[in-house]
Amino acid sequence: MKGFQIKIEKNVVSYTIRFKNEYFDNYLIDDNEIVICLEGVILNKTFLVNNYNLKNNYLHQLYQLFDTDFISKLEGEFVGFIYDKLKNKLYTFTNFTATKKLFYYKQENIIVIDTSLILLTKTLKKEKLYFSLDNSTMYQLLICDNTLEDYTPIKEIKKLNDAQLLIINIKDLTTNIQSYYNYYNKFIGSKNEALEEINRLFNEAVCLEFNKDKELKKDTFALLSGGLDSRMTFLVALKNGFCINEAFCFSQKNYWDELIAKKIAKDYNVPFHFIDLNGGEYISEIDEIFNISHGLGIYSGALHTNYAYQFIDKTRFGLIHSGQLGDGVFGMFNKHRFKTPPTKNKIVVHNDLFPKLEKDFNQIISNYDSEEIFLTRNVGYNRTVLGSYMAEEFSYQASPFMNSNFLKFLHSLPEKWKYNQELYIDWINVYHKDATKYIWERTLLKPTHKRNTVIGDKFVKRSYNILLNRILKKTNIGKMTAYSYYYQKDNKHKIKMDSYFENSIHLIKSEELKLDIINTYNNGDFIEKTTALTVLSIVKNYFSE
């Protein structure tokens, strides 16, 4: 069991700790003046301890030195709280990318905070505290495949976003949310200077991660696919002298991810562990995924990762090293060559129902002047990081692309450099030519020039897919996963999903939402059906007795 819960009522703070102190960098101190609690992994712990000459209670000392500003100095996967008894204030916080979640419920005379939305709602039921389904969030899932901003399935419960600090005055329960994200000034140097700094920061981030395995006295394990992101983490770690004890890949058998990753691992003499996703026996695991994702994203978005992670040696390895969000922060979140406000482009997946969300969606995007920042949070941190939830069942997933200094520097660079991932390709070709020896799964071309991205996307990969899907009718081999193929091939999935639908649809109280779920499920493709079932799993698990 992981996490913690805090309850504030009648000027009294009580808390329950569910984690073990000896696990990774978990930390708890409780004395007459203060309580400091942190769960997770601090990648730069050794640096902080040495740099500030800290002792065993290093977080307490950091708080004494920097007050709550010390949180911005932490790098890693963590969540925590500080109860300052002298100030009579409670501070709760997420990590820089909010891969570790924190939820809070507030009514006039009580606040309940938990790292688990499931356990928080159980407490509300036990305490007979009112909560209700947020229909706007249900439409977010049906339309965007994930929740947006600080929304949760429960209207009265919000979650902290990335790099946020919730401050609570114990006496009157007033709250204030602050961000500890300090943006870099816009970069004014040359592109070559930017590439040099990108390379320095990336190497630094990789070393932080891989040194943590040494600190934990664990073998090193890295994800590897046919894409660029995991490839860069993998190769840069090797360049810095780290030993990778296993490269882990999962996809359809003989898909590009396997073929490319296998070749890289063989060339660098790294043991290769491959999990094939053929058969799709896991594609109807609705509640299994809900219990990990808590309903923050559609269940099909995490099926393949959750299945593959069952085959990891959970006692041997330290962190799960990935290239998570590399393509996103290196240009996929820049839909234009110039800074522009966000639109529904990239975030809206299913357009038919968008009018039902349009008002709330427009209100959300009105708070942003940059599509890059909006999409980084709402596609990157709120959708793509579902894999991190799967990893938390036994470890923590880390990515150098999500290092705070690396991210802030990329955000400071001109949009025109990052558009269509041109800066990404430039960086690889200038500093990591060895990475261009292998085909890029996205384009089926080697990433030797930025024009290959356009040529590969528009012609090579598209032609390959037409050949497989339309001409050869091989719909099961041209993708990393083939959910629709296995859904249609094996009737047991249809039976299980239909049964789940029929036994749960009556739980939807809103007739409008119910009709939209019925239409989505009956008329949609496999992925659209899973959006409907995700909504039903939320209502079933949070609201049924």
Side-chain angles (χ1 to χ4, degrees):
M1 184 65 76
K2 287 188 173 184
F4 56 79
Q5 184 177 105
I6 312 164
K7 186 164 70 172
I8 309 172
E9 187 176 20
K10 297 179 180 179
N11 297 329
V12 175
V13 177
S14 59
Y15 64 86
T16 302
I17 304 298
R18 300 189 292 266
F19 60 73
K20 296 179 180 179
N21 274 355
E22 64 271 18
Y23 190 77
F24 284 89
D25 292 318
N26 294 348
Y27 180 101
L28 178 64
I29 181 173
D30 186 347
D31 61 27
N32 293 330
E33 297 182 350
I34 200 163
V35 179
I36 299 179
C37 168
L38 182 140
E39 180 188 51
V41 57
I42 306 300
L43 300 177
N44 61 339
K45 176 182 174 180
T46 299
F47 168 80
L48 292 171
V49 168
N50 292 337
N51 193 57
Y52 296 108
N53 194 28
L54 306 176
K55 306 302 180 185
N56 289 336
N57 292 330
Y58 74 105
L59 291 183
H60 192 184
Q61 294 173 68
L62 284 173
Y63 179 64
Q64 292 173 328
L65 287 171
F66 302 105
D67 202 66
T68 57
D69 287 344
F70 86 86
I71 299 166
S72 65
K73 298 182 182 298
L74 304 179
E75 194 70 54
E77 303 291 308
F78 60 84
V79 63
F81 71 87
I82 305 162
Y83 172 31
D84 193 319
K85 299 175 184 179
L86 299 180
K87 294 181 180 179
N88 209 22
K89 287 187 177 182
L90 185 93
Y91 309 89
T92 63
F93 52 89
T94 56
N95 66 322
F96 188 79
T97 53
T99 40
K100 291 284 289 175
K101 300 301 180 191
L102 193 63
F103 306 93
Y104 61 96
Y105 171 94
K106 178 184 178 183
Q107 292 300 308
E108 288 185 3
N109 59 352
I110 189 170
I111 293 177
V112 186
I113 301 166
D114 206 307
T115 53
S116 166
L117 185 57
I118 292 173
L119 294 179
L120 177 49
T121 56
K122 285 183 178 179
T123 296
L124 299 185
K125 287 180 181 179
K126 182 180 178 181
E127 300 283 339
K128 294 183 170 51
L129 294 168
Y130 176 78
F131 64 95
S132 59
L133 182 71
D134 192 332
N135 282 354
S136 178
T137 304
M138 299 306 98
Y139 279 108
Q140 290 171 22
L141 287 163
L142 289 170
I143 294 163
C144 302
D145 287 355
N146 62 276
T147 59
L148 304 178
E149 295 294 299
D150 62 349
Y151 284 77
T152 78
I154 310 301
K155 194 170 188 178
E156 293 74 21
I157 298 176
K158 298 298 182 185
K159 68 179 177 67
L160 281 190
N161 284 323
D162 46 287
Q164 284 192 334
L165 175 71
L166 172 64
I167 305 170
I168 303 170
N169 189 315
I170 306 302
K171 184 177 181 180
D172 57 12
L173 294 189
T174 53
T175 59
N176 179 32
I177 293 179
Q178 296 179 2
S179 173
Y180 63 83
Y181 187 133
N182 298 314
Y183 286 91
Y184 284 11
N185 293 328
K186 284 297 180 183
F187 184 75
I188 57 174
S190 68
K191 183 184 285 189
N192 286 337
E193 290 171 326
L195 292 174
E196 183 179 3
E197 181 65 1
I198 285 170
N199 197 56
R200 185 190 72 80
L201 289 171
F202 192 80
N203 276 272
E204 185 178 275
V206 166
C207 290
L208 266 184
E209 280 187 29
F210 284 80
N211 272 319
K212 193 67 184 182
D213 289 334
K214 292 183 177 180
E215 182 183 321
L216 296 168
K217 296 180 173 58
K218 295 281 189 176
D219 280 354
T220 294
F221 168 94
L223 302 182
L224 190 60
S225 69
L228 296 184
D229 305 337
S230 61
R231 180 186 311 183
M232 294 310 301
T233 301
F234 182 88
L235 293 178
V236 172
L238 293 176
K239 279 185 178 181
N240 279 279
F242 293 100
C243 173
I244 298 178
N245 302 102
E246 182 171 289
F248 188 78
C249 176
F250 49 97
S251 74
Q252 292 276 92
K253 185 67 178 172
N254 293 322
Y255 180 62
W256 293 107
D257 277 322
E258 180 197 4
L259 300 176
I260 298 168
K262 191 174 186 178
K263 179 70 166 65
I264 296 172
K266 181 180 179 182
D267 287 353
Y268 288 90
N269 198 31
V270 174
F272 185 67
H273 186 180
F274 176 71
I275 302 299
D276 75 74
L277 303 177
N278 296 52
E281 62 265 27
Y282 51 88
I283 68 172
S284 51
E285 295 177 348
I286 303 164
D287 285 337
E288 292 90 333
I289 300 300
F290 169 84
N291 287 327
I292 301 173
S293 72
H294 298 192
L296 298 178
I298 64 168
Y299 87 84
S300 57
L303 285 171
H304 58 305
T305 305
N306 189 56
Y307 173 74
Y309 279 7
Q310 296 174 35
F311 300 93
I312 295 174
D313 186 338
K314 299 175 177 60
T315 61
R316 176 185 172 194
F317 298 110
L319 301 178
I320 297 178
H321 299 284
S322 75
Q324 193 165 241
L325 286 193
D327 58 353
V329 301
F330 250 124
M332 288 292 284
F333 299 148
N334 298 92
K335 305 302 295 180
H336 301 86
R337 284 193 178 274
F338 49 88
K339 183 177 180 180
T340 186
T343 65
K344 66 177 185 175
N345 192 8
K346 185 73 176 176
I347 187 76
V348 170
V349 182
H350 313 288
N351 274 289
D352 291 349
L353 288 175
F354 181 69
K356 302 290 181 75
L357 183 63
E358 189 167 11
K359 182 179 178 181
D360 287 346
F361 183 82
N362 288 338
Q363 179 60 45
I364 289 171
I365 64 174
S366 69
N367 296 315
Y368 292 85
D369 65 355
S370 165
E371 63 180 355
E372 179 181 24
I373 301 302
F374 170 75
L375 291 174
T376 297
R377 169 175 285 172
N378 288 289
V379 173
Y381 305 155
N382 283 356
R383 180 193 298 171
T384 309
V385 297
L386 273 178
S388 293
Y389 303 166
M390 310 299 119
E392 282 184 25
E393 295 299 292
F394 58 94
S395 182
Y396 295 101
Q397 185 164 305
S399 168
F401 294 97
M402 297 173 72
N403 175 276
S404 63
N405 290 322
F406 185 81
L407 274 170
K408 286 189 283 189
F409 183 71
L410 282 181
H411 286 164
S412 77
L413 301 178
E415 283 80 0
K416 63 181 181 181
W417 290 354
K418 291 172 284 190
Y419 177 74
N420 208 27
Q421 298 189 299
E422 292 176 2
L423 191 68
Y424 200 0
I425 304 303
D426 286 341
W427 169 55
I428 291 172
N429 277 273
V430 171
Y431 287 97
H432 302 284
K433 202 72 175 177
D434 50 335
T436 68
K437 295 189 298 183
Y438 308 95
I439 290 173
W440 180 9
E441 178 271 340
R442 171 182 155 183
T443 64
L444 300 187
L445 296 173
K446 294 179 179 179
T448 54
H449 195 279
K450 57 190 177 185
R451 68 171 176 267
N452 287 7
T453 304
V454 177
I455 295 171
D457 282 348
K458 292 187 175 181
F459 301 105
V460 180
K461 189 66 176 288
R462 186 175 296 179
S463 299
Y464 172 77
N465 288 334
I466 290 173
L467 174 65
L468 285 179
N469 299 326
R470 298 184 187 178
I471 299 175
L472 300 178
K473 305 298 183 182
K474 299 288 187 179
T475 57
N476 62 317
I477 63 174
K479 302 173 183 175
M480 179 188 181
T481 61
Y483 296 154
S484 296
Y485 173 82
Y486 295 119
Y487 171 79
Q488 294 166 6
K489 182 181 178 182
D490 193 337
N491 200 45
K492 72 179 181 183
H493 299 302
K494 185 177 188 304
I495 292 172
K496 182 177 179 180
M497 291 166 68
D498 286 352
S499 175
Y500 196 102
F501 179 83
E502 291 163 4
N503 291 330
S504 306
I505 189 62
H506 71 279
L507 298 171
I508 304 296
K509 304 304 181 185
S510 164
E511 290 301 320
E512 180 183 18
L513 178 59
K514 182 186 290 185
L515 181 61
D516 288 330
I517 293 172
I518 292 171
N519 287 336
T520 297
Y521 188 79
N522 289 338
N523 302 317
D525 60 18
F526 174 79
I527 298 300
E528 289 170 319
K529 291 180 189 299
T530 68
T531 66
L533 292 176
T534 298
V535 172
L536 294 182
S537 73
I538 287 167
V539 179
K540 171 192 167 187
N541 285 286
Y542 286 134
F543 293 94
S544 64
E545 296 300 329

